[in-house]
Amino acid sequence: MSEKVSDSAQVTTKSSRLSAMIKKTAAGKVAPENTVLVWPNLVYLELICMMVAVSVILFLSLVAPAPLEELASADTTPNPTKAPWYFLGLQELLVYFDPWLAGMVLPTLMLVGLILIPYLDPNPRGKGYYTFSERKFSMLVFSFGLGLWYALIFVGVFFRGLDWSWYWPWDDWHVHQPAGAAKLIDLEIILQSSLGLSESPLITLGRYAVTTANLLTWVILGAFYGIGFTVPFLFFRDFYRKLGFVRYNLVMFFFISMMGVPMKIFVRLLADVKYVLVTPWFKI
């Protein structure tokens, strides 16, 4: 009987020590005076925010209702035909990229990149509270990508008129603009004419003739990604160590691809370059 009592006493002592250790560890991480209960503190605040947001949306819908046009007619096609505002960024991308790339590849990369964010970011700070100083890279990159998407939507809403041409607010939106797509030239042709390169193919792969100029466009695209991968690795070693090999390469691939979108837009607007790389399967 004494042995059973001593065994139960030992178990009680061990459990009390374990519970004391857990309480001490939890108290060391989060001080009780810095914590509040989810109910009612957080839930009431969320309820108030939801009611305010719904009230603002209802007010805006009454003051400025959605612009609706006349019923659709099979005899008349509006010019320009614009998608809903939340798809106008995608429609604007179709101006600068191949339809397969702008309509399939880039949206897929955006969705996959958003899904991978929790797995690619190993920074334990900033969980449960808002901070910028401890997550500058993540905040800046996400804000840039979100701002870029809204900038494309803004252009599609306010600067695209007849034939999807560029119209300033002071232009006459009922008069057709001169065709601007006629002067666009592929980078391969620009290199061929400016450097005096031969048009004869170096290698023929089925219907794909690889010329010297075409090969140079591959080198330029590869250098763009190569420099983007190498510079942070050489000059920001802490960034590479924190992410690791696999995470670093995935993060840099998505980051460089995102930065390539505005760069391609500027190249087209400033130098009239239609496509940087042309292949029978895709065009960039």
Side-chain angles (χ1 to χ4, degrees), residues 32-111:
E33 60 271 13
N34 296 332
T35 60
V36 294
L37 296 175
V38 174
W39 173 268
N41 298 279
L42 178 62
V43 177
Y44 276 176
L45 183 61
E46 291 177 341
L47 177 62
I48 294 172
C49 293
M50 181 182 67
M51 294 175 65
V52 171
V54 172
S55 301
V56 171
I57 293 175
L58 288 175
F59 175 77
L60 292 176
S61 64
L62 294 174
V63 175
L68 298 178
E69 299 180 358
E70 62 276 2
L71 294 176
S73 174
D75 300 328
T76 304
T77 302
N79 186 7
T81 303
K82 292 188 177 183
W85 68 268
Y86 42 84
F87 281 138
L88 277 181
L90 184 62
Q91 191 171 353
E92 181 66 17
L93 280 178
L94 292 170
V95 177
Y96 308 99
F97 293 93
D98 184 81
W100 176 77
L101 193 66
M104 292 295 297
V105 176
L106 292 179
T108 302
L109 287 179
M110 284 189 284
L111 292 175

Coordinates of all heavy atoms in Angstrom, one line a residue, residues 32-111:
P32 N 1.4 38.6 -19.2 CA 0.0 38.6 -19.1 C -0.6 40.0 -19.3 O -1.7 40.2 -19.8 CB -0.3 38.2 -17.7 CG 1.0 37.4 -17.3 CD 2.1 38.0 -18.1
E33 N 0.1 41.1 -18.9 CA -0.4 42.4 -19.0 C -0.5 42.9 -20.5 O -1.1 43.9 -20.7 CB 0.4 43.4 -18.2 CG 1.9 43.5 -18.6 CD 2.7 42.5 -17.8 OE1 2.2 41.6 -17.2 OE2 4.0 42.6 -17.9
N34 N 0.2 42.2 -21.4 CA 0.2 42.6 -22.8 C -0.7 41.8 -23.6 O -0.7 41.9 -24.9 CB 1.6 42.4 -23.4 CG 2.6 43.4 -22.7 OD1 2.3 44.4 -22.3 ND2 3.9 43.0 -22.7
T35 N -1.6 41.0 -23.0 CA -2.5 40.2 -23.7 C -4.0 40.6 -23.4 O -4.2 41.1 -22.3 CB -2.3 38.7 -23.4 OG1 -2.5 38.5 -22.0 CG2 -0.9 38.3 -23.8
V36 N -4.8 40.4 -24.4 CA -6.3 40.6 -24.1 C -7.0 39.4 -24.7 O -6.5 38.6 -25.5 CB -6.8 41.9 -24.8 CG1 -6.2 43.1 -24.2 CG2 -6.5 41.8 -26.3
L37 N -8.3 39.2 -24.2 CA -9.1 38.1 -24.7 C -9.6 38.4 -26.0 O -10.0 39.5 -26.4 CB -10.2 37.8 -23.7 CG -9.8 37.4 -22.2 CD1 -11.0 37.3 -21.3 CD2 -9.1 36.1 -22.3
V38 N -9.7 37.3 -26.8 CA -10.3 37.4 -28.2 C -11.8 37.9 -28.1 O -12.2 38.7 -28.8 CB -10.2 36.1 -28.9 CG1 -11.0 36.2 -30.3 CG2 -8.7 35.8 -29.2
W39 N -12.5 37.2 -27.1 CA -13.9 37.6 -26.9 C -13.9 38.3 -25.5 O -13.4 37.8 -24.5 CB -14.8 36.4 -26.9 CG -16.2 36.7 -26.4 CD1 -16.7 36.7 -25.1 CD2 -17.3 37.2 -27.2 NE1 -18.0 37.0 -25.1 CE2 -18.4 37.4 -26.4 CE3 -17.4 37.4 -28.6 CZ2 -19.6 37.8 -26.9 CZ3 -18.6 37.9 -29.1 CH2 -19.7 38.0 -28.2
P40 N -14.4 39.6 -25.4 CA -15.1 40.3 -26.5 C -14.2 41.3 -27.2 O -14.7 42.0 -28.1 CB -16.2 41.0 -25.7 CG -15.5 41.3 -24.4 CD -14.5 40.2 -24.1
N41 N -12.9 41.5 -26.8 CA -12.1 42.6 -27.3 C -12.0 42.6 -28.8 O -12.3 43.6 -29.5 CB -10.8 42.6 -26.6 CG -10.8 42.8 -25.1 OD1 -11.0 43.8 -24.6 ND2 -10.8 41.6 -24.4
L42 N -11.5 41.5 -29.4 CA -11.2 41.4 -30.8 C -12.5 41.3 -31.6 O -12.7 41.9 -32.6 CB -10.3 40.3 -31.1 CG -10.0 40.1 -32.6 CD1 -9.3 41.3 -33.2 CD2 -9.1 38.8 -32.8
V43 N -13.4 40.4 -31.1 CA -14.7 40.2 -31.9 C -15.5 41.4 -32.0 O -16.1 41.7 -33.1 CB -15.5 39.0 -31.2 CG1 -16.8 38.8 -32.0 CG2 -14.6 37.7 -31.2
Y44 N -15.6 42.2 -31.0 CA -16.4 43.4 -31.0 C -15.8 44.4 -32.0 O -16.5 45.1 -32.8 CB -16.5 44.1 -29.6 CG -17.6 43.5 -28.8 CD1 -17.8 43.9 -27.5 CD2 -18.5 42.5 -29.3 CE1 -18.8 43.4 -26.7 CE2 -19.5 42.0 -28.5 CZ -19.7 42.4 -27.2 OH -20.7 41.9 -26.4
L45 N -14.5 44.5 -32.0 CA -13.8 45.4 -32.9 C -14.0 45.0 -34.4 O -14.2 45.8 -35.3 CB -12.3 45.5 -32.6 CG -11.4 46.4 -33.4 CD1 -11.9 47.9 -33.2 CD2 -10.0 46.3 -33.0
E46 N -13.9 43.7 -34.6 CA -14.1 43.2 -36.0 C -15.6 43.4 -36.4 O -15.8 43.8 -37.6 CB -13.8 41.7 -36.1 CG -12.3 41.4 -35.9 CD -12.1 39.9 -35.9 OE1 -13.0 39.1 -35.7 OE2 -10.9 39.5 -36.2
L47 N -16.5 43.3 -35.5 CA -17.9 43.5 -35.8 C -18.2 45.0 -36.2 O -18.8 45.3 -37.1 CB -18.8 43.1 -34.6 CG -20.3 43.4 -34.8 CD1 -20.9 42.6 -36.0 CD2 -21.1 43.1 -33.5
I48 N -17.5 45.9 -35.4 CA -17.7 47.3 -35.7 C -17.1 47.7 -37.1 O -17.7 48.4 -37.9 CB -17.1 48.1 -34.6 CG1 -17.8 47.9 -33.3 CG2 -17.0 49.6 -34.9 CD1 -17.2 48.6 -32.1
C49 N -15.9 47.2 -37.3 CA -15.2 47.4 -38.6 C -16.1 46.9 -39.8 O -16.2 47.5 -40.8 CB -13.9 46.8 -38.6 SG -12.7 47.5 -37.5
M50 N -16.7 45.7 -39.6 CA -17.5 45.1 -40.7 C -18.7 46.0 -40.9 O -19.1 46.3 -42.1 CB -17.9 43.7 -40.3 CG -18.8 43.0 -41.3 SD -19.3 41.4 -40.8 CE -20.4 41.8 -39.4
M51 N -19.4 46.5 -39.9 CA -20.5 47.3 -40.0 C -20.2 48.7 -40.7 O -20.9 49.2 -41.5 CB -21.2 47.6 -38.6 CG -21.8 46.3 -38.0 SD -22.4 46.6 -36.3 CE -23.8 47.7 -36.7
V52 N -19.0 49.2 -40.3 CA -18.6 50.5 -40.9 C -18.3 50.3 -42.4 O -18.7 51.1 -43.3 CB -17.4 51.0 -40.2 CG1 -16.8 52.2 -41.0 CG2 -17.7 51.5 -38.8
A53 N -17.6 49.2 -42.8 CA -17.3 48.9 -44.2 C -18.6 48.7 -45.0 O -18.7 49.2 -46.1 CB -16.4 47.6 -44.3
V54 N -19.6 47.9 -44.5 CA -20.8 47.7 -45.2 C -21.6 49.0 -45.4 O -22.2 49.3 -46.4 CB -21.7 46.7 -44.4 CG1 -23.0 46.6 -45.1 CG2 -21.0 45.3 -44.5
S55 N -21.5 49.9 -44.3 CA -22.2 51.1 -44.4 C -21.6 52.0 -45.5 O -22.3 52.7 -46.3 CB -22.2 51.9 -43.1 OG -22.8 51.1 -42.1
V56 N -20.3 52.0 -45.6 CA -19.6 52.8 -46.6 C -19.9 52.3 -48.0 O -20.2 53.1 -48.9 CB -18.1 52.8 -46.4 CG1 -17.3 53.5 -47.5 CG2 -17.7 53.6 -45.1
I57 N -19.9 51.0 -48.2 CA -20.2 50.4 -49.5 C -21.6 50.7 -49.9 O -21.9 51.1 -51.1 CB -20.0 48.9 -49.4 CG1 -18.5 48.6 -49.3 CG2 -20.5 48.2 -50.7 CD1 -18.1 47.2 -49.1
L58 N -22.6 50.6 -49.0 CA -24.0 51.0 -49.3 C -24.1 52.4 -49.7 O -24.8 52.8 -50.6 CB -24.9 50.6 -48.1 CG -25.1 49.1 -47.8 CD1 -25.9 49.0 -46.5 CD2 -25.8 48.5 -49.0
F59 N -23.4 53.3 -48.9 CA -23.5 54.7 -49.2 C -22.9 55.0 -50.6 O -23.5 55.8 -51.4 CB -22.7 55.5 -48.2 CG -22.6 57.0 -48.5 CD1 -23.7 57.8 -48.3 CD2 -21.4 57.5 -49.0 CE1 -23.6 59.2 -48.5 CE2 -21.3 58.9 -49.3 CZ -22.4 59.7 -49.0
L60 N -21.8 54.4 -51.0 CA -21.2 54.6 -52.3 C -22.1 54.1 -53.4 O -22.2 54.6 -54.5 CB -19.8 54.0 -52.4 CG -18.7 54.6 -51.5 CD1 -17.4 53.8 -51.6 CD2 -18.5 56.1 -51.9
S61 N -22.7 52.9 -53.1 CA -23.6 52.4 -54.2 C -24.8 53.2 -54.4 O -25.4 53.2 -55.5 CB -24.0 50.9 -53.7 OG -24.8 51.0 -52.6
L62 N -25.3 54.0 -53.4 CA -26.4 54.9 -53.6 C -26.0 56.2 -54.3 O -26.7 56.7 -55.1 CB -27.1 55.2 -52.3 CG -27.8 54.0 -51.6 CD1 -28.2 54.4 -50.2 CD2 -28.9 53.4 -52.4
V63 N -24.8 56.7 -53.9 CA -24.4 58.0 -54.4 C -23.8 57.8 -55.8 O -24.1 58.6 -56.7 CB -23.3 58.6 -53.5 CG1 -22.7 59.9 -54.1 CG2 -23.9 58.9 -52.1
A64 N -23.0 56.8 -56.1 CA -22.4 56.6 -57.4 C -22.6 55.1 -57.8 O -21.8 54.3 -57.6 CB -20.9 56.9 -57.3
P65 N -23.8 54.8 -58.4 CA -24.1 53.4 -58.7 C -23.2 53.0 -59.9 O -22.6 53.8 -60.6 CB -25.6 53.5 -59.2 CG -25.8 54.9 -59.5 CD -24.9 55.7 -58.6
A66 N -23.2 51.7 -60.1 CA -22.3 51.1 -61.2 C -22.8 51.6 -62.5 O -24.0 51.5 -62.8 CB -22.4 49.6 -61.1
P67 N -21.9 52.0 -63.4 CA -22.4 52.5 -64.7 C -22.8 51.3 -65.6 O -22.0 50.5 -66.0 CB -21.1 53.2 -65.3 CG -20.0 52.5 -64.6 CD -20.5 52.2 -63.2
L68 N -24.1 51.3 -65.9 CA -24.6 50.3 -66.8 C -25.0 50.9 -68.1 O -25.6 52.0 -68.2 CB -25.9 49.7 -66.1 CG -25.7 49.0 -64.8 CD1 -27.0 48.5 -64.2 CD2 -24.7 47.8 -64.9
E69 N -24.6 50.2 -69.2 CA -24.9 50.6 -70.5 C -26.2 50.0 -71.0 O -26.9 49.3 -70.3 CB -23.8 50.2 -71.5 CG -22.4 50.9 -71.1 CD -21.3 50.5 -72.0 OE1 -21.6 49.7 -73.0 OE2 -20.2 51.0 -71.9
E70 N -26.6 50.3 -72.3 CA -27.8 49.7 -72.8 C -27.7 48.2 -73.0 O -26.6 47.6 -72.9 CB -28.1 50.4 -74.1 CG -27.1 50.2 -75.2 CD -25.9 51.1 -75.2 OE1 -25.9 52.0 -74.2 OE2 -25.0 51.0 -76.0
L71 N -28.8 47.5 -73.3 CA -28.8 46.1 -73.5 C -27.8 45.7 -74.6 O -27.7 46.5 -75.6 CB -30.2 45.6 -73.7 CG -31.2 45.7 -72.6 CD1 -32.5 45.3 -73.0 CD2 -30.7 44.9 -71.4
A72 N -27.2 44.6 -74.5 CA -26.3 44.1 -75.5 C -27.0 43.8 -76.8 O -28.2 43.3 -76.8 CB -25.5 42.9 -75.1
S73 N -26.4 44.2 -77.9 CA -27.0 43.9 -79.3 C -26.0 43.1 -80.1 O -24.8 43.4 -80.2 CB -27.3 45.3 -79.9 OG -27.8 45.0 -81.3
A74 N -26.6 42.2 -80.8 CA -25.7 41.4 -81.7 C -25.3 42.2 -83.0 O -24.3 41.8 -83.7 CB -26.5 40.1 -82.2
D75 N -25.9 43.3 -83.2 CA -25.6 44.1 -84.4 C -24.5 45.1 -84.1 O -23.9 45.7 -85.1 CB -26.8 44.8 -85.0 CG -27.9 43.8 -85.4 OD1 -27.5 42.7 -85.8 OD2 -29.1 44.1 -85.2
T76 N -24.3 45.4 -82.9 CA -23.4 46.5 -82.5 C -22.4 46.0 -81.5 O -22.7 45.5 -80.4 CB -24.1 47.7 -81.9 OG1 -25.1 48.1 -82.8 CG2 -23.2 48.8 -81.6
T77 N -21.1 46.1 -81.8 CA -20.0 45.8 -80.9 C -19.4 47.1 -80.4 O -18.9 47.9 -81.1 CB -18.9 45.0 -81.6 OG1 -19.5 43.8 -82.2 CG2 -17.8 44.6 -80.7
P78 N -19.4 47.2 -79.1 CA -18.8 48.5 -78.5 C -17.3 48.6 -78.8 O -16.6 47.6 -78.8 CB -19.1 48.4 -77.0 CG -19.3 46.9 -76.8 CD -19.9 46.3 -78.0
N79 N -16.8 49.8 -78.9 CA -15.4 50.0 -79.2 C -14.9 51.1 -78.2 O -15.4 52.2 -78.2 CB -15.2 50.5 -80.6 CG -13.7 50.7 -80.9 OD1 -12.8 50.3 -80.2 ND2 -13.5 51.2 -82.1
P80 N -14.1 50.8 -77.2 CA -13.4 49.5 -77.0 C -14.3 48.5 -76.2 O -15.2 49.0 -75.4 CB -12.2 49.8 -76.3 CG -12.6 51.0 -75.5 CD -13.5 51.8 -76.3
T81 N -14.1 47.2 -76.3 CA -14.8 46.3 -75.5 C -13.9 46.0 -74.3 O -12.9 45.4 -74.4 CB -15.1 45.0 -76.2 OG1 -15.8 45.2 -77.4 CG2 -15.8 44.0 -75.4
K82 N -14.4 46.5 -73.1 CA -13.6 46.4 -71.9 C -14.2 45.4 -71.0 O -15.4 45.2 -70.8 CB -13.5 47.8 -71.2 CG -12.7 48.8 -71.9 CD -12.6 50.1 -71.0 CE -11.7 51.1 -71.7 NZ -11.5 52.3 -70.9
A83 N -13.3 44.6 -70.4 CA -13.7 43.6 -69.3 C -14.1 44.4 -68.1 O -13.9 45.6 -67.9 CB -12.6 42.7 -69.1
P84 N -14.7 43.7 -67.1 CA -14.9 44.3 -65.8 C -13.6 44.8 -65.2 O -12.5 44.3 -65.5 CB -15.5 43.1 -65.0 CG -16.1 42.2 -65.9 CD -15.3 42.3 -67.2
W85 N -13.7 45.8 -64.4 CA -12.5 46.5 -63.9 C -11.5 45.6 -63.3 O -10.3 45.8 -63.4 CB -12.9 47.6 -62.9 CG -13.4 47.1 -61.6 CD1 -14.7 46.9 -61.3 CD2 -12.6 46.8 -60.5 NE1 -14.8 46.4 -60.0 CE2 -13.5 46.4 -59.4 CE3 -11.3 46.9 -60.2 CZ2 -13.1 46.0 -58.2 CZ3 -10.8 46.5 -58.9 CH2 -11.7 46.0 -57.9
Y86 N -11.9 44.6 -62.6 CA -11.0 43.7 -61.9 C -10.3 42.8 -62.9 O -9.3 42.1 -62.5 CB -11.7 42.8 -60.8 CG -13.0 42.3 -61.3 CD1 -13.1 41.1 -62.0 CD2 -14.2 42.9 -61.0 CE1 -14.3 40.6 -62.4 CE2 -15.4 42.4 -61.3 CZ -15.5 41.2 -62.0 OH -16.7 40.7 -62.4
F87 N -10.7 42.7 -64.2 CA -10.0 42.0 -65.2 C -9.2 42.9 -66.2 O -8.6 42.4 -67.1 CB -10.9 41.1 -66.0 CG -11.3 39.8 -65.3 CD1 -12.6 39.4 -65.3 CD2 -10.3 39.1 -64.6 CE1 -13.0 38.2 -64.7 CE2 -10.7 37.9 -64.0 CZ -12.0 37.5 -64.0
L88 N -9.3 44.2 -66.0 CA -8.7 45.1 -66.9 C -7.2 45.1 -66.9 O -6.5 45.4 -67.9 CB -9.2 46.6 -66.7 CG -10.5 47.0 -67.3 CD1 -10.9 48.4 -67.0 CD2 -10.5 46.7 -68.8
G89 N -6.6 44.7 -65.7 CA -5.2 44.6 -65.6 C -4.7 43.4 -66.5 O -3.7 43.6 -67.2
L90 N -5.5 42.4 -66.6 CA -5.1 41.2 -67.5 C -5.3 41.7 -68.9 O -4.5 41.3 -69.8 CB -6.0 40.1 -67.1 CG -5.8 38.8 -67.9 CD1 -4.4 38.2 -67.6 CD2 -6.8 37.7 -67.5
Q91 N -6.4 42.4 -69.2 CA -6.6 42.9 -70.6 C -5.4 43.8 -71.0 O -5.0 43.8 -72.2 CB -7.9 43.6 -70.7 CG -8.4 43.8 -72.1 CD -9.8 44.3 -72.2 OE1 -10.5 44.3 -71.2 NE2 -10.2 44.7 -73.4
E92 N -5.0 44.7 -70.1 CA -3.9 45.6 -70.4 C -2.6 44.8 -70.6 O -1.7 45.2 -71.5 CB -3.7 46.6 -69.3 CG -2.6 47.6 -69.5 CD -2.9 48.5 -70.6 OE1 -4.0 48.6 -71.1 OE2 -1.9 49.2 -71.1
L93 N -2.4 43.7 -69.9 CA -1.2 42.9 -70.2 C -1.1 42.3 -71.6 O -0.1 42.1 -72.1 CB -1.1 41.7 -69.1 CG -0.6 42.1 -67.7 CD1 -0.6 40.8 -66.9 CD2 0.8 42.6 -67.8
L94 N -2.3 42.0 -72.1 CA -2.4 41.5 -73.5 C -1.8 42.4 -74.5 O -1.4 42.0 -75.6 CB -3.8 41.1 -73.8 CG -4.4 40.0 -73.1 CD1 -5.9 39.9 -73.3 CD2 -3.8 38.7 -73.4
V95 N -1.7 43.7 -74.2 CA -1.1 44.7 -75.1 C 0.4 44.4 -75.2 O 1.0 44.6 -76.3 CB -1.4 46.1 -74.7 CG1 -0.7 47.1 -75.6 CG2 -2.9 46.3 -74.6
Y96 N 1.1 44.0 -74.2 CA 2.5 44.0 -74.1 C 3.1 42.6 -74.2 O 4.3 42.4 -74.5 CB 3.0 44.6 -72.8 CG 2.4 45.9 -72.5 CD1 1.3 46.1 -71.6 CD2 3.0 47.1 -73.1 CE1 0.8 47.3 -71.4 CE2 2.4 48.3 -72.9 CZ 1.4 48.4 -72.0 OH 0.8 49.7 -71.8
F97 N 2.3 41.5 -74.0 CA 2.8 40.2 -74.1 C 2.0 39.3 -75.0 O 0.8 39.7 -75.4 CB 2.8 39.6 -72.6 CG 3.7 40.2 -71.7 CD1 3.3 41.2 -70.9 CD2 5.0 39.8 -71.6 CE1 4.1 41.8 -70.0 CE2 5.9 40.4 -70.7 CZ 5.4 41.4 -69.9
D98 N 2.5 38.2 -75.3 CA 1.8 37.2 -76.1 C 0.6 36.7 -75.4 O 0.6 36.6 -74.1 CB 2.7 36.0 -76.3 CG 2.1 34.9 -77.2 OD1 2.1 35.1 -78.5 OD2 1.6 33.9 -76.7
P99 N -0.6 36.5 -76.1 CA -1.8 36.2 -75.4 C -1.7 34.9 -74.5 O -2.2 34.9 -73.4 CB -2.8 35.9 -76.5 CG -2.3 36.7 -77.6 CD -0.8 36.7 -77.5
W100 N -0.9 33.9 -74.9 CA -0.7 32.7 -74.1 C 0.0 33.1 -72.8 O -0.3 32.6 -71.7 CB 0.0 31.7 -74.9 CG 0.3 30.4 -74.1 CD1 -0.5 29.5 -73.8 CD2 1.6 30.1 -73.5 NE1 0.1 28.5 -73.0 CE2 1.4 28.9 -72.9 CE3 2.8 30.7 -73.5 CZ2 2.5 28.2 -72.2 CZ3 3.9 30.1 -72.8 CH2 3.7 28.9 -72.2
L101 N 1.0 34.0 -72.9 CA 1.8 34.3 -71.8 C 1.0 35.2 -70.8 O 1.0 35.0 -69.6 CB 3.1 35.0 -72.3 CG 4.2 35.3 -71.2 CD1 4.8 33.9 -70.8 CD2 5.3 36.1 -71.8
A102 N 0.3 36.2 -71.4 CA -0.4 37.2 -70.5 C -1.7 36.6 -70.0 O -2.1 37.0 -68.9 CB -0.7 38.4 -71.4
G103 N -2.3 35.7 -70.7 CA -3.6 35.1 -70.3 C -3.5 33.9 -69.4 O -4.4 33.5 -68.7
M104 N -2.3 33.1 -69.5 CA -2.2 31.9 -68.8 C -1.0 31.9 -67.9 O -1.1 31.6 -66.7 CB -2.1 30.7 -69.8 CG -3.3 30.5 -70.6 SD -4.7 29.9 -69.6 CE -4.1 28.3 -69.0
V105 N 0.2 32.2 -68.4 CA 1.4 32.0 -67.6 C 1.5 33.0 -66.5 O 1.7 32.6 -65.3 CB 2.7 32.1 -68.5 CG1 3.9 32.0 -67.7 CG2 2.6 31.0 -69.6
L106 N 1.4 34.3 -66.8 CA 1.5 35.3 -65.7 C 0.5 35.2 -64.6 O 0.8 35.2 -63.4 CB 1.5 36.7 -66.4 CG 2.7 37.0 -67.2 CD1 2.6 38.4 -67.8 CD2 4.0 36.9 -66.5
P107 N -0.8 35.0 -65.0 CA -1.8 34.8 -63.9 C -1.5 33.5 -63.0 O -1.7 33.6 -61.8 CB -3.2 34.7 -64.6 CG -3.0 35.4 -65.9 CD -1.5 35.1 -66.3
T108 N -1.0 32.5 -63.7 CA -0.7 31.3 -62.9 C 0.5 31.5 -62.0 O 0.5 31.1 -60.8 CB -0.4 30.1 -63.9 OG1 -1.5 29.9 -64.8 CG2 0.0 28.8 -63.1
L109 N 1.5 32.3 -62.5 CA 2.6 32.6 -61.6 C 2.2 33.4 -60.4 O 2.7 33.3 -59.3 CB 3.7 33.3 -62.4 CG 4.5 32.5 -63.4 CD1 5.5 33.4 -64.1 CD2 5.2 31.3 -62.7
M110 N 1.2 34.3 -60.6 CA 0.7 35.2 -59.5 C 0.0 34.3 -58.5 O 0.3 34.5 -57.3 CB -0.2 36.2 -60.1 CG 0.5 37.4 -60.8 SD -0.6 38.8 -61.2 CE -1.5 38.1 -62.6
L111 N -0.8 33.4 -58.9 CA -1.6 32.6 -58.0 C -0.6 31.6 -57.2 O -0.7 31.5 -56.0 CB -2.6 31.8 -58.7 CG -3.8 32.6 -59.3 CD1 -4.7 31.6 -60.1 CD2 -4.6 33.2 -58.2

